[in-house]
């Protein structure tokens, strides 16, 4: 499984536009082949900073999505709203600690 985290910093006046864009795109992203979940997180200290957090079956599934027409169109609209260059990480679970309640 691949976990994808993308940090997005927007111009203050564009935050509501981004939220609408994400709300409209979320179902399509979630239904993309190989996507297990997608969510939007907001920084508690900076209202202009958001993170997308998604889980993918594998790198191939993520790359298929990233090369889709839908992603290209949505990313083009999103890039126009940025205040800073986005940052992205693709991660794998490294250590899986036992659930505290089950110990």
């Amino acid at each position: 499984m691949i976990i994808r985290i993308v940090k997005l910093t927007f111009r203050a006046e564009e935050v509501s536009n981004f939220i609408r864009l994400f709300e409209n795109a979320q179902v399509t992203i979630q239904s993309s082949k190989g996507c297990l979940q997608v969510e939007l997180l907001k920084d508690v200290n900076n209202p202009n900073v958001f993170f997308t957090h998604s889980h993918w079956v594998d790198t191939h599934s993520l790359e298929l999505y990233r090369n889709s027409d839908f992603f290209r169109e949505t990313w083009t609209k999103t890039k126009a709203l940025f205040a800073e260059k986005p940052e992205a990480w693709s991660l794998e679970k490294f250590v899986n600690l036992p659930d505290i309640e089950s110990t």
Side-chain angles (χ1 to χ4, degrees):
M1 178 176 62
I2 298 296
I3 300 168
R4 180 78 169 174
I5 299 173
V6 181
K7 179 183 178 186
L8 309 163
T9 304
F10 296 98
R11 297 188 306 277
E13 67 274 14
E14 299 293 359
V15 168
S16 60
N17 290 328
F18 168 70
I19 292 169
R20 274 193 301 279
L21 184 64
F22 184 82
E23 288 172 343
N24 292 331
Q26 186 175 13
V27 171
T28 302
I29 298 167
Q30 180 73 49
S31 63
S32 296
K33 184 177 180 178
C35 182
L36 303 171
Q37 86 175 58
V38 63
E39 62 186 351
L40 182 63
L41 308 171
K42 183 177 175 184
D43 189 300
V44 296
N45 296 311
N46 187 337
N48 302 337
V49 175
F50 291 81
F51 294 81
T52 58
H53 171 243
S54 56
H55 290 201
W56 298 85
V57 170
D58 53 25
T59 302
H60 178 71
S61 298
L62 174 59
E63 288 307 311
L64 283 176
Y65 167 70
R66 292 185 68 227
N67 290 310
S68 70
D69 290 338
F70 175 79
F71 175 81
R72 281 192 290 274
E73 291 168 14
T74 304
W75 191 244
T76 297
K77 293 175 186 174
T78 304
K79 285 193 311 187
L81 311 176
F82 288 150
E84 296 178 16
K85 184 177 178 180
E87 298 178 61
W89 301 269
S90 292
L91 310 162
E92 293 178 318
K93 193 175 285 188
F94 185 66
V95 173
N96 193 18
L97 298 175
D99 188 351
I100 293 173
E101 292 179 14
S102 65
T103 58

